Amino acid sequence: MPHNTTLPSRTSLPTARVWFVDDLRVLLISLVILHHIACIYSGLPAWYYTEPPTSGAVGLGLSVFLLLNQAWFMGAFFLLSGLFTPASYDRKGPRAFLRDRLIRLGIPLLVFYFVLNPILYLGTDHGSYLHTIGSGPLWFVLALLVLDASYVAFRHVTRSRNPSLRPLTFRGVIAFVVVLAVVTYALRIVIPMGFTVQVIDFPTADYLPQYVSFFVVGTVAYRRGWLQTTSARMGKAGLGLAVGATLVFLPLAVGGGTFAGHGTLSSLFYALWDSSFAVGLVLWLLVFFRRRFNTQGPLRRYLSGHAFTVYVIHAFLVTAAGHLLGVLALPTLAKVAIAAVVVLPACFLLAGPVRRLPGVRRVL
């Protein structure tokens, strides 16, 4: 997320800043905030503070929102991160690249893991300090550090081989979806949905094939020029893939029993759905944002420049809103609406002063 979004001149692509990627990142950050607000009121034990929904229908609706989000939006983050990793590596070299990643990602992760995460658990029954340390929502940062280090190792082994520019094909997209779905299905036999890797506080390990493959696809997309050359027709095909998979595979998954994993047929249909949905939707969004949001005024520049800071601090505002609204006897839907209207802009407003703190801007 903190990657530079400027295309280097060593490829045949334009060197102008690609504003639409910044704007897409702002959308994703906003969805993260809304996702964690929904976690509070969905009835699922998935946040620092939770409340049972006052209506079963609202709880179900929030759970559906969480499943739809989870199917694609973190994978999109990994793709955007992978997309500009080669440029950063080429510009800085392996040592400076790793040093920058350790500063920009490692320091926030360590502070959150050992200081901020325990603070968020104050007032709960989680017991000792050792039971409250963890990465929380910064599990993404931990995973990205591992992927960045792996990329450096890969570049060292391959000696900077640069693949030629070539267009993205729909046949290649379908092949990728099928392989991703099969690998995801196989992983969920042993790591079903909802399983958290406690040692590193990794909450969605069942999506690991998507996260890794999207990061890799991002690096390949940069080298092959897909960011700028993918056609509007391909974007529409991606949207059709996402919609078609939702109409065909999702009902088969949900209506066939447990779809969380364990090798069930429903789990296979669910893996086919979320793989198709993620790939298709991200493909469409990249083309759509490129066509509609490739300029940027002061407001959107501020939002995109503070996106990573918002990611780091949003857990405090979301949790605080949950506690404050908890004293009010309001329907769940009203609390969700109030929290969204207040917390979403507050995160971006607070990010500015946070970044102006001494030494913080170098990291965030």
Side-chain angles (χ1 to χ4, degrees), residues 13-86:
L13 299 178
T15 58
R17 191 169 178 93
V18 281
W19 300 114
F20 70 92
V21 174
D22 290 341
D23 291 338
L24 180 55
R25 185 179 290 118
V26 172
L27 170 65
L28 294 174
I29 288 290
S30 301
L31 282 175
V32 167
I33 297 170
L34 297 176
H35 187 91
H36 290 147
I37 290 173
C39 284
I40 292 178
Y41 302 105
S42 66
L44 302 173
W47 195 246
Y48 301 96
Y49 172 82
T50 59
E51 284 185 23
T54 56
S55 164
V58 172
L60 177 61
L62 291 174
S63 296
V64 171
F65 172 73
L66 293 174
L67 286 174
L68 289 173
N69 260 356
Q70 194 61 64
W72 73 279
F73 75 146
M74 293 311 299
F77 269 130
F78 281 103
L79 187 140
L80 296 186
S81 297
L83 194 59
F84 295 103
T85 294

Side-chain angles (χ1 to χ4, degrees), residues 261-326:
H262 308 291
T264 65
L265 183 60
S266 294
S267 174
L268 176 59
F269 286 132
Y270 197 87
L272 285 166
W273 169 71
D274 63 14
S275 298
S276 303
F277 184 76
V279 172
L281 188 59
V282 171
L283 181 58
W284 174 71
L285 282 172
L286 282 170
V287 174
F288 178 79
F289 269 68
R290 187 188 69 203
R291 297 183 68 193
R292 299 295 181 89
F293 298 99
N294 208 15
T295 59
Q296 201 172 70
L299 176 59
R300 298 216 301 262
R301 190 174 298 117
Y302 173 89
L303 296 178
S304 63
H306 293 78
F308 183 60
T309 305
V310 169
Y311 191 92
V312 173
I313 69 173
H314 81 276
F316 283 88
L317 279 77
V318 170
T319 306
H323 283 290
L324 292 172
L325 290 172

Side-chain angles (χ1 to χ4, degrees), residues 157-177:
V157 171
T158 59
R159 299 299 179 184
S160 302
R161 295 173 190 165
N162 193 10
S164 59
L165 298 176
R166 63 182 67 178
L168 180 66
T169 66
F170 194 68
R171 180 181 298 179
V173 170
I174 295 299
F176 176 76
V177 167

